[in-house]
Amino acid sequence: MEKGKKNWVFCDGYLPPHGDNPEFEGHEALMITNLNEEPAQIELSLVFEDREPEMGICYTLDGMRMTCIRMDKPLGPKGILLGEAVQYTVWVKSNVPICACFGRLDVRQSNMAYYSVEGCTF
């Protein structure tokens, strides 16, 4: 039985501002789970509307582990920073099937919202 997919695309990336409440930081996060025994070699590619893509953002995720990649923090060994209010797509590629989801905490209003962004797999 396959435990996930090797390609995931999340089209609605838009990093919200951190906000003024120190208890809650506005952010986006990519959560990845590897249900296999072997490590997953994961590559992220960021696709933008008005600039060249950022590719080759690599991570290793051990077998039977999960990780949370905060999109408001430096990404990968290159330390790529997205910046706030940038529209983007994140493409997640792996050498083994993985499970992935993408979430956003938007604190721009007092009734802040956390929601997940649906992904496409193939």
Side-chain angles (χ1 to χ4, degrees), residues 8-117:
W8 293 81
V9 178
F10 299 93
C11 296
D12 186 23
Y14 185 82
L15 190 59
H18 277 128
D20 298 328
N21 185 339
E23 291 184 54
F24 302 101
E25 285 185 336
H27 69 275
E28 288 179 318
L30 174 64
M31 286 73 64
I32 302 172
T33 301
N34 179 5
L35 296 174
N36 301 286
E37 295 298 325
E38 66 186 278
Q41 302 303 318
I42 296 166
E43 179 185 349
L44 305 184
S45 297
L46 304 174
V47 180
F48 304 95
E49 182 177 16
D50 58 356
R51 68 183 206 225
E52 292 301 308
E54 293 282 357
M55 303 176 84
I57 305 167
C58 296
Y59 296 89
T60 298
L61 180 58
D62 287 338
M64 295 306 291
R65 295 289 187 266
M66 66 80 57
T67 191
C68 177
I69 300 170
R70 288 273 301 259
M71 304 306 286
D72 59 321
K73 307 291 184 196
L75 298 170
K78 298 179 191 176
I80 295 167
L81 286 170
L82 280 171
E84 294 179 354
V86 173
Q87 190 78 44
Y88 67 97
T89 291
V90 61
W91 178 13
V92 182
K93 296 169 271 189
S94 176
N95 65 320
V96 296
I98 57 172
C99 297
C101 66
F102 191 82
R104 178 181 301 139
L105 176 61
D106 192 338
V107 296
R108 288 179 282 184
Q109 298 178 21
S110 59
N111 60 341
M112 62 189 145
Y114 184 83
Y115 52 97
S116 61
V117 176

